[in-house]
Amino acid sequence: MIEIALRAAVPSDAEAVLAFWRESAEGTSISDDLDGVKRLLARDPEALILAVDGDRIAGSVIAGWDGWRASLYRLAVLPSYRRRGISKALLAAAEERFAALGGRRADAMVLEENERARHAWGAAGYERQDQWRRWVKPLAG
């Protein structure tokens, strides 16, 4: 039997988080490195929410708040832990965090080709907005 607990990540989790994302998350980001994770935790210590089973990371979500927007990234669940309500619990924790901070709407970054994620976000009540497109420019070379 698994006993899942939710908690904020701490800097000593950074390497394990990166290993977890390599196994569980779709796609990669320019920020997927030790410095990127540690910088996130230094800037907003409550942003990276983990679902843990003992010492094992079973799920994650980044619930970033900049004072204006509530943004969700890296919702992922370890394949062997899927279909157990972990993503639902992570999203509930993220939404509670945003509400307590004054957030009015949560935006989620979802890879277009990630069919499983699109279904999960839809089931959680999120809707795709076709009128917006993300524009990016890498700042690191």
Side-chain angles (χ1 to χ4, degrees), residues 15-131:
E15 287 186 30
V17 166
L18 290 167
F20 165 77
W21 285 342
R22 282 190 296 274
E23 184 176 354
S24 305
E26 293 286 329
T28 58
S29 167
I30 195 169
S31 303
D32 286 356
D33 59 29
L34 207 52
D35 288 337
V37 174
K38 287 184 176 182
R39 207 169 17 266
L40 167 66
L41 297 176
R43 163 70 176 77
D44 188 351
E46 303 296 317
L48 178 50
I49 303 168
L50 300 179
V52 295
D53 180 12
D55 291 334
R56 185 174 201 185
I57 298 173
S60 75
V61 68
I62 297 174
W65 171 251
D66 64 9
W68 180 259
R69 301 223 190 261
S71 301
L72 294 160
Y73 311 91
R74 287 295 185 201
L75 176 63
V77 175
L78 201 63
S80 61
Y81 284 73
R82 290 181 181 155
R83 313 280 311 153
R84 299 181 190 190
I86 294 172
S87 65
K88 184 176 180 179
L90 286 163
L91 285 177
E95 291 167 1
E96 288 171 18
R97 169 177 155 69
F98 293 149
L101 292 168
R104 298 184 205 173
R105 179 188 72 203
D107 298 326
M109 295 293 298
V110 183
L111 288 172
E112 190 62 30
E113 65 272 2
N114 189 339
E115 187 77 22
R116 179 183 298 122
R118 289 189 358 232
H119 288 295
W121 285 105
Y126 288 75
E127 297 177 357
R128 177 184 163 152
Q129 286 190 319
D130 290 328
Q131 71 270 30

